[in-house]
Amino acid sequence: MAKISNSLRTDLDRLAQACRVLDLEGHGDRVVGHVAYRDPDERGFWMKRAGISLGEVFDSRDFVLLTFDGIQIAGDGKSHGEWPIHSEIFKNKPEINASAHTHPFYASVFSASEEPLVTIVPRSTSQPVRPPRWEESADLIDTPEIATSMVKSMGAHHAILLRNHGIVTCGPQIP
């Protein structure tokens, strides 16, 4: 792996821990889910390598560094084909530093429904509005053009349901 600073290694180890938590919380779906982290040195973003599940991500060695054009410049293994999801989020939302695309069972089932999400608890400051739903396609988000459309639909939200596909979520920090 390319030489990385101790602080970046700590952040990637924290991202690896987040992968395992996501897996424990029902976001694992064999090897298809992925998370990413904006590179603090502005080279692009770090993404979970392909071929392992969220629950198998151990530490910083399980990430690859990609440019915003999807060119791998560091790390062992291959990148996921849906790298444009993360690239377009980071390019269009400068306040965002971490993102995830997963296929949790209930969210994936709900994303297939045309019915609006029904609130079962009162709306609060932790979830004041429903997340938008991206309806354009149920296919892989594997081109920058498709990912840009998804990010536009996401708007100012930090999460979006993908029709028949799962969810994307993001935030300013890994937690």
Side-chain angles (χ1 to χ4, degrees), residues 16-159:
Q17 182 181 35
C19 287
R20 296 189 303 273
V21 170
L22 284 169
D23 186 66
L24 289 170
E25 292 294 329
H27 289 257
D29 189 9
R30 298 175 304 282
V31 299
V32 293
H34 34 88
V35 299
Y37 181 68
R38 183 189 300 273
D39 182 66
D41 295 325
E42 301 179 11
R43 298 172 288 186
F45 60 99
W46 293 87
M47 184 176 184
K48 178 187 84 71
R49 66 182 172 90
I52 60 172
S53 71
L54 291 169
E56 295 174 310
V57 178
F58 183 71
D59 63 16
S60 61
R61 296 171 292 183
D62 288 320
F63 296 95
V64 295
L65 176 60
L66 304 175
T67 67
F68 290 118
D69 295 323
I71 299 167
Q72 186 171 329
I73 56 176
D76 295 326
K78 295 182 178 181
S79 66
H80 289 268
E82 288 188 300
W83 62 266
I85 291 172
H86 308 286
S87 176
E88 294 307 310
I89 286 173
F90 294 140
K91 285 171 33 181
N92 290 286
K93 293 176 170 275
E95 74 283 8
I96 298 300
N97 290 307
S99 59
H101 170 47
T102 62
H103 310 93
F105 179 77
Y106 293 107
S108 295
V109 169
F110 177 73
S111 76
S113 170
E114 293 181 7
E115 295 298 316
L117 181 61
V118 178
T119 302
I120 58 172
V121 296
R123 295 273 169 211
S124 68
T125 57
S126 65
Q127 189 186 26
V129 295
R130 294 177 178 100
R133 184 187 339 231
W134 187 61
E135 298 280 350
E136 189 172 311
S137 174
D139 294 333
L140 295 177
I141 302 173
D142 57 1
T143 69
E145 295 77 23
I146 297 170
T148 297
S149 169
M150 183 217 61
V151 172
K152 283 182 183 175
S153 294
M154 186 182 250
H157 299 272
H158 285 175

